[in-house]
Amino acid sequence: MFQRRRLAHGMTRCLWKHYAKRVAMSALVVCSLWVVIQESVTNQKFMKPGVKYVTLASTKCWGVGNQMFGLAAMIGVNKANNYTWQYCLPCPFGIRYIFQLDEIVCCENRNLDEPSIFAEDHFAEYKPSYHNLWRHSDLSLGGFFQSWKYFHSAISDIKKYLKFQDHIIARARKTLTNKIEDKFQCYGCSANITLIALHVRRGDYLDKDSQGIGYKVATLDYIQHAIDHMLTVVKPVQHALMVSSDEIDWCTEHLGHRKDVIFLSPKSDPSHKAIHPIEIGQDLAMLTMCNHSIITVGTFGWWAAYLTGGRTIYYKDSPAYLSYLWNRTNHQDYYPPTWIGMT
């Protein structure tokens, strides 16, 4: 009898747990649906009726650099078509933490009214037909649009939207000044020192799958040659190499012996998951405060150099020759003509 009671009690507990789990799952589904509905209502509330919008078709797994390319492409395409559309972006969208984008409303493709689609053919290859798009509907851009040619004529508009959040720029300026003054043991001397940004991307580019399709990391020889060339051309009276990287430990090991190096990144983050967008934004802001740039691979370094101006040296041996990515990349479309490619 006692065993029967224990068995019955155990079955009751099991059934109750199963019931509670189903209730919890149902509540989660209802909650998720409510979030989607609420988001849709919110988006429609802020999207103006009768106004045409342009947005990005997909931004899944995009990092900061890819998001900046997407936004810049929207701006460049819009200018090329006489500013037909207003901008809307997915929410959340990582670079909203970094730049002042509050005036751009939230939206997804589902919020647009039968949008026309302009899709790129390859990853980093310019498609000239973007000048003549259908202007009588919403527009969705499909792809990465990693070419300066889409938006270089709209650089003033780009800088208007890619304006750092006030707290990020203030913190970046203070951090940069402190690092320079600590390095050179001086006060108020940062304006007299030529700053050369050095961005080193490694991390996920070392993954087997990434290398299988053609991703390459820059060699230490390239970095050293690029530094030597930059110093020869610029001939600074006094300079500092401002180093940012997703593997700052690697940089410290191989560049830490140099007396002209200042490390910006607080820690390594090869998976690009541990550092908050605000910290990434601070790194990017400090890089753009430099005078010249040396970049390796990746869109983050590309944008740091593009916003900085000055001279730029890039690693021209990526993607790997005849790889999947190499066959879908046009270096002339990806790198501005004034940038110098080295190996």
Side-chain angles (χ1 to χ4, degrees):
M1 180 65 72
F2 179 69
Q3 289 180 343
R4 289 179 184 175
R5 287 180 179 175
R6 288 186 61 185
L7 180 60
H9 182 65
M11 290 179 65
T12 301
R13 290 180 61 191
C14 182
L15 288 171
W16 173 251
K17 287 182 178 179
H18 179 69
Y19 173 75
K21 185 176 181 180
R22 289 187 63 183
V23 170
M25 288 298 293
S26 298
L28 181 61
V29 170
V30 170
C31 181
S32 299
L33 287 172
W34 174 248
V35 168
V36 171
I37 293 171
Q38 192 74 356
E39 182 189 67
S40 179
V41 171
T42 301
N43 290 341
Q44 295 298 337
K45 180 179 178 182
F46 287 100
M47 293 175 70
K48 301 173 185 177
V51 173
K52 293 186 289 292
Y53 287 92
V54 56
T55 192
L56 302 171
S58 175
T59 58
K60 187 177 181 180
C61 300
W62 282 16
V64 168
N66 284 338
Q67 291 180 30
M68 292 172 73
F69 265 115
L71 174 60
M74 285 171 50
I75 295 170
V77 167
N78 202 20
K79 181 180 180 183
N81 290 272
N82 296 323
Y83 296 101
T84 298
W85 302 277
Q86 289 194 22
Y87 306 116
C88 62
L89 286 169
C91 284
F93 196 63
I95 61 172
R96 287 183 181 273
Y97 291 102
I98 300 174
F99 301 106
Q100 298 181 28
L101 301 176
D102 291 343
E103 67 180 76
I104 298 181
V105 300
C106 296
C107 77
E108 304 288 346
N109 272 328
R110 64 175 179 268
N111 302 125
L112 302 186
D113 184 18
E114 298 182 356
S116 59
I117 298 174
F118 178 64
E120 66 178 359
D121 295 326
H122 299 298
F123 298 124
E125 189 172 279
Y126 174 65
K127 192 173 180 179
S129 58
Y130 84 102
H131 281 92
N132 300 299
L133 301 181
W134 178 254
R135 303 180 186 181
H136 303 288
S137 67
D138 292 333
L139 176 65
S140 179
L141 301 183
F144 295 93
F145 296 95
Q146 294 175 356
S147 173
W148 60 274
K149 294 181 180 180
Y150 284 116
F151 50 77
H152 193 64
S153 63
I155 187 63
S156 59
D157 290 344
I158 299 293
K159 290 186 176 181
K160 171 188 172 184
Y161 285 98
L162 293 182
K163 184 178 179 182
F164 289 99
Q165 296 277 3
D166 290 340
H167 64 93
I168 287 180
I169 201 71
R171 185 175 175 184
R173 187 174 288 113
K174 181 178 179 180
T175 301
L176 189 70
T177 300
N178 288 343
K179 284 180 176 291
I180 294 170
E181 292 180 352
D182 287 347
K183 180 73 174 181
F184 291 92
Q185 294 296 298
C186 61
Y187 179 77
C189 62
S190 59
N192 302 318
I193 297 171
T194 299
L195 304 181
I196 301 170
L198 171 57
H199 182 259
V200 180
R201 170 77 175 268
R202 291 175 59 80
D204 54 338
Y205 274 43
L206 293 169
D207 293 346
K208 183 178 179 180
D209 291 342
S210 296
Q211 297 205 335
I213 62 174
Y215 284 111
K216 287 180 64 176
V217 296
T219 63
L220 183 59
D221 282 345
Y222 157 74
I223 294 173
Q224 292 171 337
H225 292 159
I227 293 172
D228 291 343
H229 182 79
M230 182 68 80
L231 294 178
T232 299
V233 172
V234 175
K235 295 181 174 62
V237 175
Q238 199 170 24
H239 75 276
L241 294 170
M242 315 304 291
V243 181
S244 169
S245 176
D246 57 357
E247 283 199 23
I248 202 68
D249 295 336
W250 183 91
C251 295
T252 302
E253 178 184 352
H254 293 94
L255 300 173
H257 65 282
R258 295 185 63 107
K259 295 181 179 180
D260 56 355
V261 166
I262 297 176
F263 297 105
L264 300 179
S265 304
K267 59 185 177 182
S268 293
D269 182 25
S271 65
H272 299 176
K273 295 179 180 179
I275 297 180
H276 192 275
I278 292 177
E279 295 179 272
I280 297 173
Q282 181 179 318
D283 255 24
L284 181 60
M286 287 191 288
L287 291 174
T288 63
M289 293 175 185
C290 295
N291 304 103
H292 309 285
S293 304
I294 297 171
I295 60 176
T296 53
V297 292
T299 55
F300 185 88
W302 191 102
W303 273 105
Y306 189 77
L307 294 178
T308 298
R311 298 179 183 272
T312 296
I313 297 175
Y314 67 89
Y315 181 58
K316 70 176 184 179
D317 276 359
S318 180
Y321 182 61
L322 294 182
S323 65
Y324 174 83
L325 286 177
W326 186 88
N327 286 315
R328 289 160 177 79
T329 300
N330 185 326
H331 273 51
Q332 292 181 343
D333 289 346
Y334 184 65
Y335 295 109
T338 56
W339 293 10
I340 301 170
M342 294 185 65
T343 60

